[in-house]
Amino acid sequence: MQGNRHNDDFIVVGVSYKKTETETRGLYSLCDDSQKKLIHTLQNLGGENILVISTCNRTEVYCEGLSTDSLQSTLSEISGGPLDTLREIAFVKEGLAAVKHLFSVGCGLDSQIIGDFEIIGQVKKAFALAMECNSSKAFLDRLVSLVIKASKRIKSETELSSGATSVAFSGVQYIICLLYTSDAADE
């Protein structure tokens, strides 16, 4: 994707577990209908190649053709979260940094537990919604396709996915370990 003119105009604005606690992240989370509304609103403002990922750990809006301010204002309006708080907590990545971030997210490298591959399913779901809303053009189609391929390669060719695959799974494993350890100590 190097040398692609789209790289310069591609932006991601988001909130994630890295900088924001659950309660504040929740102010900006979006259900499917709100994601569609956000995509259509951004399209009406002139945005394209719009991808919205909204999970318990992150809400991220990828877009080409609009300013950071437009993305933040629209996300705030649609989610109902305060704009001033969003401006304080949101991260912004532009151009190649935004592209690299999507790879990092989709490949489970930007997860609370490295190698969490639940996120690639969420990226696929977000992309399906982008397709449904006609917000995906050739650039986003190719980008998401490459992210999916990279995720598959990492999962099949590395040991990254050999451990716990999600925070929930890790939590259950930890509880089972505690129960087992407690039972063994009682004997």
Side-chain angles (χ1 to χ4, degrees):
M1 305 206 97
Q2 191 174 359
N4 190 322
R5 69 173 181 81
H6 296 279
N7 284 350
D8 297 334
D9 203 21
F10 194 61
I11 298 174
V12 60
V13 169
V15 295
S16 81
Y17 71 93
K18 287 184 174 180
K19 191 174 174 184
T20 311
E21 79 285 347
T22 305
E23 186 177 328
T24 304
R25 277 194 319 270
L27 297 173
Y28 305 97
S29 71
L30 301 165
C31 66
D32 289 349
D33 288 340
S34 295
Q35 289 177 45
K36 287 179 189 178
K37 184 176 181 182
L38 177 62
I39 291 170
H40 290 306
T41 302
L42 294 174
Q43 286 173 315
N44 289 337
L45 293 172
E48 57 183 29
N49 287 312
I50 304 162
L51 183 73
V52 179
I53 300 171
S54 188
T55 72
C56 59
N57 285 326
R58 70 185 73 246
T59 297
E60 298 181 352
V61 181
Y62 296 83
C63 184
E64 181 181 11
L66 295 175
S67 69
T68 298
D69 189 55
S70 293
L71 294 179
Q72 289 178 335
S73 298
T74 308
L75 174 58
S76 172
E77 177 186 324
I78 303 294
S79 69
L83 181 57
D84 58 337
T85 302
L86 181 61
R87 286 186 173 143
E88 288 176 23
I89 64 170
F91 66 85
V92 176
K93 296 179 187 284
E94 300 178 357
L96 192 54
V99 170
K100 288 179 179 180
H101 181 73
L102 184 56
F103 272 94
S104 184
V105 168
C107 293
L109 302 176
D110 191 62
S111 298
Q112 280 185 308
I113 294 180
I114 302 297
D116 178 355
F117 285 96
E118 289 180 19
I119 188 64
I120 195 63
Q122 295 160 335
V123 170
K124 289 176 182 179
K125 180 182 175 197
F127 182 65
L129 191 63
M131 296 292 288
E132 180 184 326
C133 294
N134 296 313
S135 71
S136 179
K137 308 297 183 212
F139 172 72
L140 188 60
D141 292 353
R142 182 73 177 135
L143 177 57
V144 172
S145 175
L146 290 171
V147 168
I148 292 167
K149 284 181 182 179
S151 177
K152 286 179 184 176
R153 283 194 67 190
I154 288 171
K155 192 170 185 175
S156 67
E157 296 178 19
T158 72
E159 297 289 321
L160 191 58
S161 64
S162 62
T165 58
S166 71
V167 173
F169 179 80
S170 293
V172 169
Q173 292 300 105
Y174 179 71
I175 291 168
I176 289 170
C177 181
L178 285 177
L179 291 173
Y180 179 74
T181 304
S182 176
D183 287 346
D186 292 341
E187 292 177 0

